[in-house]
Amino acid sequence: MPLERPGARIFINGEPLGGLVALEVQAPGPFMAGRFRAVFAMGDAPCLSTNMCAKLGLVPTTLEVSTNSLSYTTLLKGFTENIRIDVRKNIAILSGRDITSMMIDSEISETFINQTASEVAFTIAARHGLVPNITVTERRVGQYCQIDHARTGLNLGSKSTTEWNLLCRLAEAEGFLVSVTGGVLNFGPASSSSVRTVTLEKFIDLDIDYLTALPKMVAVRSWNSSEKTAIQETAGSGVTTNIVVPNVKAGLAKNTAVNYLSLMRQHQKILCGKMRGNIDLEPGSNLLLTGTNSDLDDTYIVTSLRHRLNEHEGFVQMVQAYAVD
């Protein structure tokens, strides 16, 4: 339901912060952290002062919006990571990421080769106090590639590797999605959701992008050092794009080709729209566009959702979604 009387509030360390002027929130989604940017007028408490800004540090931050300025819905929980003070305008701009940042910033050196992907996900969820919504898997990490080369194949054993990178790689290998919503770590196949019908009247702006030069076939190539054999697996047919993956078995190479082809097809037809704000929409939602009386009428899956609240626009959201193949 669109917000007729939009309002928002922000809590820093559990305390409400006054003087909010504008807010922008990138909703978290599969393989992607949520982000926010909030503009505040500076002043006396409960507003921000210059001294308070200097003392904040990395603080827990909660952002909420309301349909009636009475009941509020949480858009994002995370941390304020940067504060910019515009001295002439007397405003402070706070920005940061959602709690996915805890895993993005956590470097690891474990290989986990004797654990399954789901066991790794459970371990990482427990480290950060996240509620696990994890689909159990059976293959051990070392089986994705030759065990002797697991560290190379999964980019492990390096301080440049993080928990989030590992979860994303494991999710890709299993054909899963990984995301954090609220305090829940989601690791599993894409879940189906009900289809929401939208007409042209629901959009303030609407563009549909067609990508006409997209390859139709994916070929995954690898050299298995232990067995001294070349591996090649394909998916699709037509113009080919080649992907080189180190030290994988044929099964994983085939899965990789299928997954990459599926990802590429998501770029064939993209919906980019601006709508009135709606707190019920989220990444993964299904939209059925109707009313164009053309091939543009299709079912689209939301991949990116950015909320914006300010005096000029009110509460609006920018939606990006791909057409279901």
Side-chain angles (χ1 to χ4, degrees):
M1 177 179 180
L3 298 184
E4 301 297 332
R5 299 171 56 191
R9 62 188 186 187
I10 295 182
F11 294 86
I12 300 289
N13 269 333
E15 297 295 327
L17 191 60
L20 180 64
V21 175
L23 176 66
E24 186 168 320
V25 179
Q26 173 69 54
F31 305 102
M32 180 176 63
R35 297 178 179 273
F36 73 90
R37 180 179 183 272
V39 181
F40 291 89
M42 300 182 67
D44 296 329
C47 296
L48 280 169
S49 65
T50 302
N51 290 337
M52 183 179 177
C53 289
K55 297 176 182 178
L56 274 182
L58 183 68
V59 290
T61 305
T62 301
L63 293 80
E64 301 178 344
V65 295
S66 172
T67 60
N68 52 21
S69 296
L70 296 175
S71 58
Y72 285 80
T73 299
T74 300
L75 282 184
L76 183 145
K77 288 185 176 182
F79 301 92
T80 295
E81 299 175 311
N82 181 266
I83 303 172
R84 173 175 293 179
I85 299 174
D86 189 321
V87 179
R88 296 294 298 271
K89 294 181 180 179
N90 198 34
I91 61 174
I93 303 171
L94 277 59
S95 59
R97 296 172 292 172
D98 77 331
I99 56 179
T100 307
S101 61
M102 296 188 298
M103 291 173 287
I104 294 175
D105 296 339
S106 295
E107 298 176 339
I108 57 172
S109 58
E110 301 104 312
T111 61
F112 298 105
I113 60 175
N114 291 318
Q115 296 186 34
T116 64
S118 58
E119 288 173 340
V120 175
F122 276 114
T123 297
I124 293 175
R127 287 178 179 177
H128 299 286
L130 300 174
V131 177
N133 177 28
I134 297 170
T135 299
V136 174
T137 59
E138 297 182 355
R139 288 188 300 172
R140 298 191 181 278
V141 171
Q143 293 177 306
Y144 294 138
C145 46
Q146 293 298 317
I147 291 179
D148 290 343
H149 305 282
R151 301 174 74 91
T152 302
L154 291 172
N155 291 333
L156 296 176
S158 168
K159 284 298 182 182
S160 64
T161 300
T162 68
E163 292 175 337
W164 186 246
N165 284 343
L166 175 59
L167 286 174
C168 290
R169 291 294 305 275
L170 294 176
E172 289 173 352
E174 291 286 349
F176 284 0
L177 301 179
V178 58
S179 65
V180 177
T181 53
V184 178
L185 174 62
N186 305 295
F187 185 84
S191 58
S192 59
S193 62
S194 59
V195 178
R196 183 195 307 268
T197 301
V198 291
T199 61
L200 294 178
E201 290 72 23
K202 295 289 186 181
F203 291 92
I204 300 170
D205 298 308
L206 178 62
D207 296 311
I208 305 293
D209 284 347
Y210 280 97
L211 184 56
T212 58
L214 195 68
K216 303 296 184 181
M217 177 176 170
V218 173
V220 173
R221 305 173 188 274
S222 183
W223 172 256
N224 190 305
S225 300
S226 293
E227 298 179 359
K228 301 295 189 287
T229 57
I231 303 294
Q232 177 174 315
E233 295 290 344
T234 62
S237 61
V239 179
T240 305
T241 184
N242 294 286
I243 298 171
V244 177
V245 182
N247 294 308
V248 298
K249 296 181 179 180
L252 180 57
K254 182 65 176 180
N255 289 342
T256 302
V258 171
N259 292 338
Y260 267 92
L261 182 63
S262 177
L263 288 173
M264 283 199 308
R265 285 174 174 170
Q266 293 178 12
H267 296 275
Q268 287 181 328
K269 185 165 63 173
I270 300 288
L271 177 152
C272 300
K274 179 179 179 181
M275 310 171 70
R276 294 281 303 278
N278 189 316
I279 57 178
D280 294 328
L281 200 62
E282 61 184 7
S285 296
N286 289 276
L287 300 178
L288 175 60
L289 177 63
T290 63
T292 71
N293 300 317
S294 69
D295 289 341
L296 301 183
D297 289 345
D298 209 338
T299 299
Y300 298 82
I301 297 179
V302 177
T303 56
S304 175
L305 183 64
R306 183 158 46 96
H307 301 282
R308 198 157 63 205
L309 175 64
N310 56 57
E311 184 178 358
H312 173 66
E313 296 175 296
F315 182 54
V316 296
Q317 60 192 19
M318 278 53 68
V319 180
Q320 182 169 303
Y322 67 88
V324 177
D325 186 20

